[in-house]
Amino acid sequence: MSSQPGAPATVMVRPLLLKPQWMNGLSERLLVSHYENNYGGAVRRLNAIRARLAALDWARTPVFEINGLKREELIAAGSVILHEIYFDSLGGHGDDPPNGLAEPPDGLARALERDFGSVMGWRAEFTAMAKALAGGSGWAILAWSERLGRLVNQWAADHAHGLAGATLILALDMYEHSYHIDFGAKAAAYVDQVMTNLNWERIDARYRMAIGEKAGNDKLFLPYGSPAQQEARISVEELRAALENGDGRRPVLLDLCLPRDLPRRTDMLAGASMHAPAALPRWVEALSRDRPVVVYCICGFQVSGTAVTELRQRGYDARALGGGITAWHAIGGATVPLDTSTYEDA
Ligand SMILES: [Fe+2]
């Protein structure tokens, strides 16, 4: 969770790091719906509550209103943070999808053995705790407790339930919205499937940061294939502000999509033109050099990242939209029906 520079009250969405179309037995429809509607909804709700709180006259506001808003702020912030840990903990490596029940890296494996007897012992407790929440809602959490000096499996009945002072390492969403599209009421099957989709590299990085070691690989928490340099990226919140600005520097919007991904698309940003990435040499000459260019794809991975690198090499002020149109949906950004009339044939 981070704040936009110059507008510290705004909590920005984090892009998806997992590739939703390439997961192991968890559908794109489920994951994207969960990300856009439930996670995005929590971010939007948190920002609305924070705006309301910022406008309060604390001396004159009735206590029931303060209690209500502060309670809702805590719940929304908890939901935002827990969902970010959940989504970051899932996914394959680069272009490779998750391929089954993997083992944690050595350091984390030793810590799990120390605190739960074995990795298998930890997994048995963690999954049993998650399955016990079936039919209700809540979170199964692996956290590091400095005070207790160990990793703990923590049960949470809602977004505001947490062991005081503990640092989240892994969170498994047990709200029905996280599985019903794929699994119906079979929550236990969902838990087992999630365990075959864990990205231990990122979970391990969070553990090492929690115990005060430097994790050392910031790229782990950047969408795969997105440009490494900050100036080649733009957040969905920054784009929204730039589009609302209405001056002559309004960015040119390019919607890039691989031919095989066209069936995954239904909408686009208003004013964008849609192109095939492979046809870049054909459409690039028509681009204005007077205005910044924002390139987006579905989730902000290498399709927009590669094009932005090429455009920048050609001297354009091009940026890749972090999280793509999926993150745009998550902030409640408006779209129009997909228009493929400018899309190039192979
Ligand atoms: Fe959720």
Side-chain angles (χ1 to χ4, degrees):
M1 193 163 82
S2 57
S3 292
Q4 191 171 5
T10 302
V11 176
M12 296 164 73
V13 293
R14 281 177 61 92
L16 266 182
L17 301 179
L18 60 84
K19 289 205 161 201
Q21 76 277 34
W22 288 355
M23 297 293 281
N24 181 11
L26 300 172
S27 73
E28 176 171 26
R29 186 163 159 255
L30 170 72
L31 291 162
V32 171
S33 168
H34 191 181
Y35 174 83
E36 291 182 353
N37 299 310
N38 304 103
Y39 167 61
V43 174
R44 298 194 295 273
R45 198 161 58 249
L46 178 57
N47 281 319
I49 296 164
R50 286 160 64 113
R52 188 70 69 86
L53 284 167
L56 274 195
D57 178 344
W58 294 101
R60 292 170 190 273
T61 303
V63 291
F64 60 82
E65 203 173 330
I66 294 174
N67 281 329
L69 282 168
K70 291 303 286 185
R71 183 178 61 244
E72 291 300 317
E73 181 194 31
L74 178 67
I75 293 168
S79 177
V80 167
I81 294 166
L82 284 158
H83 277 105
E84 288 172 358
I85 304 277
Y86 172 71
F87 285 116
D88 282 7
S89 298
L90 302 177
H93 298 273
D95 259 347
D96 301 325
N99 58 5
L101 211 55
E103 292 303 308
D106 273 0
L108 180 53
R110 278 198 299 277
L112 290 169
E113 285 161 17
R114 180 194 62 210
D115 297 333
F116 298 94
S118 64
V119 173
M120 207 188 296
W122 164 75
R123 195 183 284 124
E125 179 180 322
F126 185 78
T127 54
M129 183 176 73
K131 291 173 186 178
L133 287 162
S137 58
W139 292 87
I141 294 166
L142 172 66
W144 165 253
S145 169
E146 187 67 39
R147 173 65 184 90
L148 301 178
R150 59 162 292 172
L151 287 163
V152 289
N153 278 332
Q154 190 230 303
W155 179 94
D158 60 38
H159 305 309
H161 222 168
L163 175 64
T167 306
L168 300 177
I169 307 297
L170 165 65
L172 201 171
D173 195 337
M174 288 307 299
Y175 281 76
E176 205 178 29
H177 64 234
S178 61
Y179 58 85
H180 72 97
I181 289 176
D182 284 1
F183 297 89
K186 294 177 183 160
Y190 155 73
V191 171
D192 290 335
Q193 205 60 42
V194 165
M195 299 305 283
T196 68
N197 281 276
L198 296 181
N199 184 302
W200 280 111
E201 229 178 323
R202 286 197 288 268
I203 298 166
D204 178 61
R206 260 199 309 277
Y207 171 64
R208 285 185 288 134
M209 284 187 277
I211 60 169
E213 281 179 19
K214 208 169 151 36
N217 191 353
D218 295 342
K219 277 181 91 174
L220 269 181
F221 294 93
L222 267 186
Y224 172 72
S226 76
Q229 68 276 40
Q230 178 80 40
E231 64 274 17
R233 305 194 301 263
I234 184 169
S235 68
V236 286
E237 293 85 357
E238 288 168 327
L239 176 62
R240 182 168 57 188
L243 292 176
E244 283 168 357
N245 206 338
D247 63 15
R249 296 283 295 161
R250 191 180 194 277
V252 175
L253 296 175
L254 297 181
D255 182 319
L256 296 199
C257 191
L258 297 173
R260 69 166 188 224
D261 289 335
L262 284 174
R264 297 168 60 201
R265 299 290 308 279
T266 56
D267 64 346
M268 65 196 301
L269 271 67
S273 58
M274 194 178 199
H275 296 283
L280 184 140
R282 281 190 268 159
W283 51 259
V284 72
E285 292 310 321
L287 271 184
S288 160
R289 287 180 184 273
D290 304 332
R291 284 160 59 190
V293 177
V294 171
V295 184
Y296 71 88
C297 54
I298 300 178
C299 286
F301 296 117
Q302 70 269 41
V303 172
S304 54
T306 305
V308 161
T309 302
E310 185 153 352
L311 288 170
R312 293 180 76 86
Q313 281 165 356
R314 291 171 184 252
Y316 288 95
D317 174 13
R319 288 160 193 256
L321 185 64
I325 195 167
T326 308
W328 182 257
H329 291 153
I331 63 165
T335 59
V336 296
L338 194 67
D339 172 6
T340 57
S341 61
T342 56
Y343 195 82
E344 298 83 2
D345 294 326

